[in-house]
Amino acid sequence: MEKLSYVYIFLQSSTIEVFVYFLFYRKLKAFGATFVLTTLANTLTHPVVFFVIMASRLSYIEAILLAEGFAFVAETFLHAYFGKLPLKTTWKASLTANLVSWQLAPILTYLLFIN
């Protein structure tokens, strides 16, 4: 994967997720704190997802399912630990953020670069 492609994917995913997480955390954290927390979690999970799981010999569907599962679980615990947030809240937020990012990112890429 080209370096700029990875940077784009990281920025796109983080940007989408920050707004989703903020919907869950808005009564608990300021937007800036949510931004920092989301960026930190993505900085830790994205390299594993892209350079380890997606580069493995798994089939595409197996790699995607493992990558999304890993991101969901890791970000749940990272947000709970570093953000000092309730696990139930981070669980719901992480599941939603990762599902929205997984579905919206390809649509945005298509609209921005292919269409």
Side-chain angles (χ1 to χ4, degrees):
M1 171 183 295
E2 188 178 314
K3 288 178 185 175
L4 287 178
S5 296
Y6 175 74
V7 170
Y8 167 75
I9 291 167
F10 175 82
L11 291 174
Q12 181 184 56
S13 177
S14 290
T15 301
I16 292 167
E17 288 182 10
V18 120
F19 290 102
V20 176
Y21 279 116
F22 185 66
L23 291 175
F24 284 88
Y25 301 163
R26 67 187 178 275
K27 293 180 181 175
L28 304 168
K29 297 274 181 204
F31 182 80
T34 301
F35 175 85
V36 169
L37 187 58
T38 303
T39 303
L40 170 70
N42 282 338
T43 299
L44 296 172
T45 59
H46 271 240
V48 175
V49 165
F50 285 96
F51 301 118
V52 177
I53 298 172
M54 296 307 291
S56 71
R57 293 184 182 212
L58 296 171
S59 71
Y60 181 73
I61 191 71
E62 291 169 334
I64 286 290
L65 291 173
L66 181 59
E68 289 300 324
F70 166 75
F72 157 61
V73 171
E75 290 173 14
T76 294
F77 288 106
L78 288 168
H79 281 239
Y81 181 77
F82 288 111
K84 297 182 179 18
L85 293 161
L87 194 57
K88 186 176 180 180
T89 302
T90 61
W91 182 89
K92 290 187 271 185
S94 180
L95 180 63
T96 305
N98 280 284
L99 286 173
V100 169
S101 176
W102 182 35
Q103 295 301 306
L104 191 57
I107 294 168
L108 289 175
T109 299
Y110 175 80
L111 292 173
L112 291 172
F113 297 107
I114 298 172
N115 190 4

